[in-house]
Amino acid sequence: MPDADPDHDTALARRAAAGDTAALDQVLGNHMALVHGVCRRVLGNADDALDATQEALLAIARKIGTFDGRSKFSTWAYRVATNAALDEARRRNRRPVPTDDVAESARAPDRASLDTGVADRLDVDAALEQLPPEYRAAVALRDLVGMDYAEIADVLGIPAGTVRSRISRGRAALADLLGNRETSSEHQTP
Amino acid sequence: MNDTAPPLEPEELDELLSAELDSELDAVARERHVPTETLVARIRATPGAAERRAALAAARDVLAETPDFDDLVSARIRAKAVRAAEAEQTARRKARARRRNRVFTGAIGIAAAAVVAVAIAASLSGHGNHTVAASAPESPRRTAAHPAATGSSLVVPPNAPAPEARLGTFTSLRLLALAAVDESATHKYSVAGTSSGRVPSALGSGSASAALPANSASRDQDGLSQKTAPAFTGNGKALPTCSAPSRAPTGDPLVFTTSATYQGQPVVVFVFEGTRARTVEIVDRACRVLNVQSIG
């Protein structure tokens, strides 16, 4: 969840819009990790997430003059980040996938050789990969950023009921995967 | 508590449990027009609901973990974004400056065009049928504004004649008188038609640049006969207004009044119409008669 004070963010954004680069650097720093997190959750891939994060940050920096302060800065910034990530996802879908990558992704990861953190990350990416990017965006905005359903509905331009359904689907997919892993671990345990 | 509530389908259970984890169950109940307790009862009536809630909560906790982000990469991207914003601001400033310059240049152009138009209009109205000379050494160029234009920001170009010097600039009283007679033939009016017989405009407010043809100097045959004009009254200011005599010394009625510049000095010219000839009386800025001529 964002730690930054919304009023402080708004003040920084206004200073940044007036040309204060230090304020811009600060307000970007306040939200950068979560902007990257949203991109990572939506795209499920580190390289694509970096590209999308860069696009999102550039868009925020360039458009900060259009931030009117009517909504929270975080809502505005994560809207920009989500759009950047969804755009990247659409671009990626149009790109041809190299056959080596297909073969690589078809191979199940050797979980025994991975530490728990990496395995969890892979689980999250793998679980969310079953869902369309728009579903992943709803999950990321709720569980990572901490937006309420109404804010998410506003950012994604969908009804709150749809937000609820998408979040539920995302969590359920991960819950199923985590449940299966726990089940298989239990089976492996003597 | 409703113990007979039907169990939920797996997808619906997930949705209600997920909403419950986010404290959104009341919103779901409002949306479905049922009490929240009804939804809770249905969740409880569904086998395995508690385990599923725990699994969804675990998934939520995993999803809430912020993905790793390398500090160096983060700093690099941030710096790039700040540079992009600076470049954007610079471009905007330049665009604004270009727009300002365009507006300023346009305004200057319009102002210049307006000055030229005013100069042309003034030139046309001041010269009448006379030839416009490029320069007249004997007529001092001034940029004094017409009294009616007082307060205007327009600057009269050096070669623009004052509207009052209607006949132009003359070095010959004879030619001045002839020009006045010519002019009176087209603009003749009765004394009663003038503004109480007073000279319609002030003297000395400018000089004309109109000149007569080059051979006009050889036609100067008149000697000046100066005498005081008893009917004239100066108003004591720099720009006097002289009352016009209603009749010439010969008794002819006044039919035309105009102004001109004679040897660099503003003069008023009166034309009186007789049965056989016209009498022209020329007075200076002090309302003194400079010359009286009879032109047949």
Side-chain angles (χ1 to χ4, degrees):
Chain A
M1 296 217 180
D3 297 327
D5 170 18
D7 291 339
H8 185 54
D9 274 347
T10 302
L12 286 174
R14 288 202 170 122
R15 280 168 48 198
D20 184 341
T21 51
L24 176 63
D25 190 48
Q26 195 178 337
V27 77
L28 290 180
N30 287 346
H31 296 276
M32 180 134 189
L34 288 179
V35 166
H36 170 258
V38 169
C39 294
R40 177 65 195 258
R41 288 284 181 261
V42 171
L43 292 159
N45 170 294
D47 291 339
D48 290 344
L50 276 185
D51 287 347
T53 302
Q54 180 167 298
E55 287 304 313
L57 265 287
L58 287 172
I60 290 170
R62 284 177 181 145
K63 294 179 183 173
I64 201 157
T66 66
F67 171 63
D68 55 14
R70 279 185 293 188
S71 61
K72 286 194 289 186
F73 174 79
S74 58
T75 305
W76 179 80
Y78 295 121
R79 184 199 308 272
V80 175
T82 305
N83 288 337
L86 292 174
D87 286 347
E88 180 64 27
R90 282 189 277 271
R91 273 196 296 272
R92 186 180 61 181
N93 284 343
R94 286 196 294 268
R95 282 201 299 261
V97 181
T99 50
D100 287 352
D101 289 357
V102 174
E104 186 69 25
S105 64
R107 279 201 296 272
D110 180 5
R111 295 189 187 284
S113 64
L114 300 172
D115 63 48
T116 312
V118 174
D120 283 348
R121 232 175 296 139
L122 287 175
D123 285 340
V124 174
D125 290 341
L128 294 181
E129 202 170 30
Q130 303 168 24
L131 302 169
E134 289 79 9
Y135 281 63
R136 295 179 227 156
V139 173
L141 291 174
R142 171 63 209 165
D143 290 337
L144 191 63
V145 178
M147 286 184 175
D148 61 35
Y149 286 19
E151 281 180 301
I152 298 169
D154 180 40
V155 167
L156 296 179
I158 54 176
T162 309
V163 171
R164 190 168 57 238
S165 154
R166 289 183 179 182
I167 291 170
S168 157
R169 291 273 300 276
R171 286 175 180 165
L174 186 59
D176 289 345
L177 200 71
L178 292 173
N180 289 342
R181 193 181 67 177
E182 280 164 13
T183 307
S184 71
S185 300
E186 283 164 11
H187 286 313
Q188 286 169 2
T189 307
Chain B
M1 204 61 63
N2 186 359
D3 291 334
T4 60
L8 298 161
E9 292 296 318
E11 273 197 13
E12 195 178 4
L13 176 65
D14 283 346
E15 192 171 324
L16 290 182
L17 286 173
S18 187
E20 191 184 39
L21 286 172
D22 292 331
S23 306
E24 294 274 347
L25 202 55
D26 288 340
V28 180
R30 276 197 303 275
E31 199 176 281
R32 296 185 181 187
H33 306 292
V34 294
T36 308
E37 290 74 22
T38 304
L39 295 180
V40 172
R42 291 196 67 191
I43 290 170
R44 287 186 177 171
T46 306
E51 292 78 11
R52 191 61 178 169
R53 182 189 290 108
L56 289 173
R60 179 194 61 182
D61 293 343
V62 170
L63 286 165
E65 288 173 14
T66 306
D68 292 337
F69 192 25
D70 185 77
D71 287 343
L72 199 62
V73 175
S74 165
R76 209 176 59 224
I77 292 178
R78 217 162 77 186
K80 190 172 180 179
V82 170
R83 280 199 306 274
E86 283 173 335
E88 187 85 4
Q89 280 163 2
T90 305
R92 271 204 299 269
R93 270 198 298 272
K94 282 182 180 171
R96 270 201 301 271
R98 273 198 299 273
R99 275 198 300 276
R100 252 198 324 267
N101 286 345
R102 272 202 298 272
V103 170
F104 183 69
T105 308
I108 291 288
I110 290 168
V115 167
V116 169
V118 166
I120 290 170
S123 172
L124 290 175
S125 67
H127 286 264
N129 294 328
H130 293 285
T131 305
V132 176
S135 64
E138 68 275 20
S139 54
R141 305 254 186 265
R142 286 187 283 173
T143 56
H146 184 280
T150 303
S152 165
S153 61
L154 289 176
V155 176
V156 178
N159 61 349
E164 290 77 18
R166 291 178 180 171
L167 288 181
T169 298
F170 295 85
T171 54
S172 161
L173 287 169
R174 180 67 179 170
L175 290 178
L176 172 54
L178 286 170
V181 168
D182 284 348
E183 197 73 6
S184 71
T186 51
H187 300 289
K188 189 167 70 174
Y189 59 90
S190 67
V191 173
T194 61
S195 54
S196 304
R198 296 179 74 81
V199 177
S201 55
L203 289 173
S205 62
S207 65
S209 61
L212 292 173
N215 62 351
S216 61
S218 62
R219 294 168 64 186
D220 187 0
Q221 303 162 7
D222 297 293
L224 296 177
S225 62
Q226 296 192 9
K227 58 181 181 181
T228 303
F232 287 12
T233 54
N235 61 8
K237 293 182 179 177
L239 305 173
T241 301
C242 302
S243 293
S246 59
R247 292 190 178 280
T250 55
D252 297 328
L254 177 67
V255 293
F256 182 66
T257 305
T258 187
S259 57
T261 300
Y262 171 66
Q263 292 185 339
Q265 297 301 317
V267 293
V268 177
V269 184
F270 301 106
V271 180
F272 304 88
E273 190 169 53
T275 50
R276 293 186 177 179
R278 292 184 181 191
T279 304
V280 178
E281 188 171 296
I282 300 167
V283 301
D284 66 6
R285 77 161 62 218
C287 301
R288 289 176 306 177
V289 176
L290 296 179
N291 180 250
V292 178
Q293 296 179 49
S294 180
I295 297 172

